[in-house]
Amino acid sequence: MTGYTDYTDLAKQFGTPLYVYDIDRIRQARSDLFGALPEEVELFFALKANPHPQVARAMRDGTGKACRAEISSTGELAAALAAGFTGADILYTGPGKTGGELAEALAAGVRLFSVESRTDLEHVGAEAEQLGVVADCLIRVNSATSSSSTSIRMTGVPSQFGFDSENLPELRDQLLGVRGATVAGAHFFPLSNAKDEASLIAEFTHTITLAARLQDELGIAFRFLDIGGGFAAPYAVLGDRPVYSALREALSVALDKRFPGWRDGAPRVACESGRYLVGDSGQLICSVVNLKESRGRNYVIADAGINTFGGMSGLGRLLPVAVTPQPDGRANDQVASLVGPLCTPGDILGRDIALPTLSPGDLVVIPNAGAYGVTASLSMFLGRPAPAEVLISGGQVISASRLRQVRDYQIGAPVS
């Protein structure tokens, strides 16, 4: 990972913990991923990875092809609209859409929804009918089989996500008879963070084959096909985001075989990504607060913990992080656990990792931290302030902001 490296002045100005997002790197990732896909394939940015409106705006502004937005809440809807996306640009997903959320999205012009069950489809249709519109719905498919291995598999097991593929044909008449909603196509998301390009290609090929089979079994001409993602990127460790060289040709061959009209938009084809597009744009800067030795184990205590980065760490998806080498060239000459300031033994960013000899006040930089940071963390635990988020472009600060937690009283009065 290369780019902006001198964070001392930013830390002095904005304090720590501090996220720094490089807009230029986001635009480069967007360009790289569009370049790896066939020209006709659309791309959704999953706002769950980083819903900062200016980060999301970088997915659609500037030169080159623009992303669309994939959201799963009205909060993400607000962020997408603030970033300049229109309702027509948005795909609304998720297994727990409430009537109020659907009404708000439809009123904002959202017309494309991924549905996870027959009742989810009915809920979308009911709210659309109330507003006198028709929603296009993609049947999310939980495939009974898969092709590649991955760190996070999203199909092939009982799940709240998607229709079980083996049961879809018998539901055909029920799905096509929902007022206010039309079945426009299918949505797949079988994996996250594929281990290599060959695995990614194999999974996409399997998805396209299954989609064609389901289209035939359902007797529906798909107008839209979202084949998901799985694009890899290093997460909180050193390393570079891959650039896929064989994917474009492989996807073209698979689509030509199963969906011969796809180049003319029959169906329109899309992929989606979050981590790949924003992961390597961000770095988390924190300060060393204290050092401690306990029964032969060394601890570096920082002002950033799982409230700042890594609310998913308790699920075993994050540990251990790594740190960027110190600017003064200090080597990683000790093994210690990097922990945060919270009153819980689970506040660990990295257990027994290689670190330089550090002192209180030193800065520690966690690389590739642009995805699943602030809003994927335990930000309200213990009431600590959220980290600042600074965006840079061309080495210059273009904005700085901080999320605030405000209690909105609906009954009673605030304590005076």
Side-chain angles (χ1 to χ4, degrees), residues 93-363:
T93 69
K97 313 175 193 72
T98 68
E101 291 166 350
L102 289 169
E104 185 173 339
L106 288 160
V110 178
R111 294 294 181 269
L112 186 63
F113 296 82
S114 172
V115 293
E116 315 276 359
S117 63
R118 177 181 57 81
T119 49
D120 193 20
L121 175 64
E122 291 170 350
H123 293 162
V124 174
E127 295 299 331
E129 192 174 24
Q130 285 286 326
L131 292 175
V133 300
V134 176
D136 283 335
C137 293
L138 306 181
I139 300 299
R140 179 162 175 174
V141 179
N142 180 358
S143 173
T145 59
S146 63
S147 177
S148 66
S149 60
T150 180
S151 59
I152 305 176
R153 171 144 297 283
M154 304 294 287
T155 57
V157 297
S159 174
Q160 70 268 43
F161 299 112
F163 292 77
D164 295 341
S165 58
E166 62 272 25
N167 298 332
L168 267 172
E170 64 191 58
L171 297 175
R172 177 188 184 279
D173 292 343
Q174 297 177 52
L175 300 179
L176 298 184
V178 175
R179 297 175 61 179
T182 60
V183 176
H187 176 204
F188 296 78
F189 200 92
L191 60 82
S192 178
N193 211 30
K195 66 177 182 178
D196 52 38
E197 186 170 21
S199 298
L200 184 65
I201 289 172
E203 196 66 52
F204 275 137
T205 302
H206 176 267
T207 292
I208 292 165
T209 300
L210 175 59
R213 193 190 82 204
L214 288 175
Q215 179 179 242
D216 291 341
E217 290 176 349
L218 293 171
I220 303 171
F222 290 166
R223 291 184 284 115
F224 202 98
L225 177 61
D226 184 338
I227 60 175
F231 309 104
Y235 187 34
V237 295
L238 297 169
D240 296 318
R241 173 177 49 77
V243 176
Y244 297 112
S245 59
L247 181 60
R248 175 184 281 238
E249 178 62 21
L251 277 181
S252 297
V253 169
L255 288 165
D256 282 340
K257 182 177 181 180
R258 303 295 182 180
F259 292 94
W262 74 279
R263 294 180 187 271
D264 298 316
R268 293 164 61 188
V269 178
C271 291
E272 57 193 84
S273 177
R275 180 199 317 257
Y276 185 93
L277 289 169
V278 296
D280 78 344
S281 73
Q283 302 196 58
L284 171 60
I285 296 88
C286 49
S287 295
V288 175
V289 176
N290 201 3
L291 305 173
K292 182 184 178 183
E293 187 271 335
S294 175
R295 293 178 176 148
R297 175 169 285 178
N298 294 319
Y299 292 89
V300 174
I301 302 169
D303 60 358
I306 56 175
N307 62 316
T308 300
F309 184 66
M312 291 183 170
S313 62
L315 302 178
R317 294 180 178 175
L318 213 165
L319 292 172
V321 302
V323 301
T324 300
Q326 295 296 106
D328 59 11
R330 273 177 283 172
N332 291 342
D333 57 1
Q334 69 163 323
V335 172
S337 293
L338 181 63
V339 304
L342 306 183
C343 295
T344 169
D347 191 20
I348 302 173
L349 295 181
R351 182 180 286 111
D352 295 333
I353 62 175
L355 291 169
T357 299
L358 296 165
S359 301
D362 282 347
L363 297 181

Side-chain angles (χ1 to χ4, degrees), residues 357-380:
T357 299
L358 296 165
S359 301
D362 282 347
L363 297 181
V364 173
V365 179
I366 298 174
N368 292 314
Y372 302 109
V374 178
T375 57
S377 300
L378 303 179
S379 56
M380 294 189 70

